[in-house]
Amino acid sequence: MADEKDIDLTNDRPVYVIGGGPGGLAAAAALREQGVRAVVLEKSESVGASWRRHYDRLHLHTTRRLSALPGLPMPRSFGRWVSRDDVVRYLEKYAEFHELEIVPGVEVSRIEPAGSDWVLHATGGRRLTGSAVVVATGYNHTPRLPEWPGSDAYTGELLHAGEYRNAAPYRGKDVLVVGVGNTGAEIAVDLVEGGASRVRIAVRTIPHIVRRSTAGWPAQRTGILARRLPVRMVDRAAAVMCRISVPDLAEHGLPRPDTGLYSRVKEGAVPIQDVGLIDAVRTGKVEPVAALDSFESGKAVLADGTRISPDVVIAATGYRRALEGLVGHLGILDERGKPLTHGGRTLAQTPGLYFTGFTNPISGMFREMTIDARKIAKSLAKSLAKG
């Protein structure tokens, strides 16, 4: 990892990569392979900062073989489903193996065009000039905690899932998990296994649930194939597969969704990969309940009018990309704050500005960031050769 004083950040014109997570490291390595100098600016003191903050039991839902970044396989010793700690170890080794230039402790607050170059406004009043910029600040950047009416008067513990590490502090407690995505589902199971006295999960939209692997075939490979097929065809096939492999949990409060699986993916909602939720719901250890609407007199008020009194509420309510301050003034974000382009494509009004890691594909985020990295590197190398 480079020290800031060893790199002349103001006079050189490298490609700047903002973010030292998997997307940023992959892009930097792919650029290096193309002979393009890339400097990674990471606001924390180490690579993979967001992975270091994830809950303890987290494993990749994608296979080791299909999750490696460009130029370095993941060790077989990591197993098929790679743990959080091993992901961190891999990212550290990846930066070392590719001899990436990484400057820690530098946060970029704004990017502006300057002729054919880009100026980055960074920590300490720095103005860094680069020939191009790759934004890789991460899909899970800023926790999104809804402003539920009455939450300020709630006397129990209210926290975002990003603050959750393990079940130990909640042993013997009544916990409500809000949100039934992959994070909420896995935290709910972790709480049950960790000794919480009662675990309920608040459901606003009925999720699709798939087996992480069926007869040795990982759901990720199905996701890769699905991206090449028409949405309606995938919806129909997924409905058949789910009926075969996933039991009907309607009598336990979690009916089958009435929308297509891939149609939902196209709207930005990936299915839950089961790591224990099905059995936990079927055995009554995790109780699905209506969505959380508000708090009143110290109680949680659900959408169906039910009032419950959990000791703890864990909001698995997702994250914001938080790109508005960085690039919002450039007119390249959609209504949800996501970049209008990603990978090797740039917009006509912002040539030389690339994005990676802001999609949540059914085929696996690490895999897609690898594909993005190679496309970005080829596009940039070609563009710089012309320039």
Side-chain angles (χ1 to χ4, degrees):
M1 186 173 291
D3 187 270
E4 181 186 340
K5 65 178 179 294
D6 296 328
I7 300 175
D8 185 350
L9 293 174
T10 55
N11 296 323
D12 199 2
R13 294 171 57 255
V15 172
Y16 282 111
V17 179
I18 306 175
L25 298 181
L31 285 164
R32 182 182 176 88
E33 187 178 55
Q34 291 285 336
V36 177
R37 184 188 177 209
V39 175
V40 179
L41 303 176
E42 167 55 45
K43 69 177 182 179
S44 71
E45 295 303 316
S46 55
V47 300
S50 65
W51 273 90
R52 296 173 191 273
R53 295 191 299 267
H54 286 314
Y55 49 94
D56 294 348
R57 72 174 282 153
L58 178 65
H59 285 67
L60 286 176
H61 291 159
T62 53
T63 66
R64 169 180 51 81
R65 288 186 177 182
L66 295 175
S67 300
L69 301 179
L72 184 67
M74 288 186 171
R76 292 187 64 182
S77 60
F78 285 1
R80 194 181 198 195
W81 311 106
V82 182
S83 71
R84 178 204 63 183
D85 290 347
D86 282 338
V87 169
V88 172
R89 293 187 186 99
Y90 174 72
L91 295 179
E92 291 173 340
K93 181 63 177 179
Y94 191 84
E96 177 186 345
F97 178 82
H98 287 291
E99 300 180 336
L100 302 181
E101 292 187 63
I102 302 172
V103 185
V106 176
E107 182 173 7
V108 179
S109 57
R110 187 177 175 89
I111 303 171
E112 294 179 337
S116 61
D117 292 330
W118 290 90
V119 172
L120 287 66
H121 298 264
T123 305
R126 298 177 183 85
R127 289 169 58 87
L128 316 176
T129 302
S131 57
V133 179
V134 180
V135 180
T137 49
Y139 192 85
N140 294 337
H141 187 276
T142 302
R144 181 174 61 235
L145 186 64
E147 295 182 359
W148 288 294
S151 60
D152 55 343
Y154 174 57
T155 56
E157 182 180 359
L158 172 61
L159 68 151
H160 188 272
E163 302 174 71
Y164 179 89
R165 294 294 171 269
N166 56 61
Y170 312 106
R171 184 181 300 274
K173 293 188 176 182
D174 182 337
V175 186
L176 173 67
V177 179
V178 181
V180 68
N182 277 295
T183 296
E186 191 157 5
I187 287 176
V189 173
D190 196 42
L191 288 164
V192 166
E193 294 177 355
S197 64
R198 186 175 188 180
V199 179
R200 285 172 281 202
I201 189 164
V203 180
R204 185 172 299 278
T205 303
I206 301 296
H208 286 274
I209 304 175
V210 299
R211 298 288 187 182
R212 187 168 63 174
S213 179
T214 303
W217 178 264
Q220 181 187 10
R221 289 198 178 276
T222 302
I224 293 170
L225 295 173
R227 298 192 71 181
R228 303 178 182 180
L229 299 173
V231 173
R232 289 185 179 179
M233 180 184 296
V234 178
D235 282 347
R236 288 196 295 268
V240 173
M241 284 301 298
C242 286
R243 287 193 183 94
I244 294 172
S245 61
V246 177
D248 186 357
L249 301 172
E251 65 180 72
H252 303 286
L254 205 59
R256 298 189 190 278
D258 56 8
T259 55
L261 184 152
Y262 201 35
S263 294
R264 188 83 67 79
V265 169
K266 288 294 187 179
E267 296 171 356
V270 297
I272 293 175
Q273 292 205 28
D274 180 52
V275 290
L277 182 69
I278 291 173
D279 286 342
V281 169
R282 186 165 50 183
T283 57
K285 294 176 181 177
V286 171
E287 308 167 48
V289 296
L292 175 63
D293 265 5
S294 62
F295 292 90
E296 186 177 307
S297 302
K299 295 181 181 293
V301 182
L302 306 182
D304 61 3
T306 303
R307 285 168 166 74
I308 61 176
S309 302
D311 301 311
V312 183
V313 175
I314 300 174
T317 46
Y319 294 78
R320 294 186 297 107
R321 312 293 85 79
L323 291 170
E324 289 78 8
L326 190 67
V327 297
H329 55 289
L330 300 176
I332 56 174
L333 302 178
D334 66 15
E335 66 280 357
R336 295 178 293 176
K338 293 177 63 177
L340 293 172
T341 187
H342 70 93
R345 295 179 292 112
T346 62
L347 297 175
Q349 67 267 35
T350 53
L353 180 59
Y354 298 83
F355 294 87
T356 182
F358 295 99
T359 60
N360 193 16
I362 194 173
S363 50
M365 186 173 285
F366 273 52
R367 179 180 182 273
E368 292 304 314
M369 287 190 291
T370 290
I371 294 171
D372 278 356
R374 290 178 171 138
K375 289 180 178 178
I376 289 170
K378 289 180 181 179
S379 174
L380 257 172
K382 183 177 180 180
S383 175
L384 293 174
K386 289 180 179 179

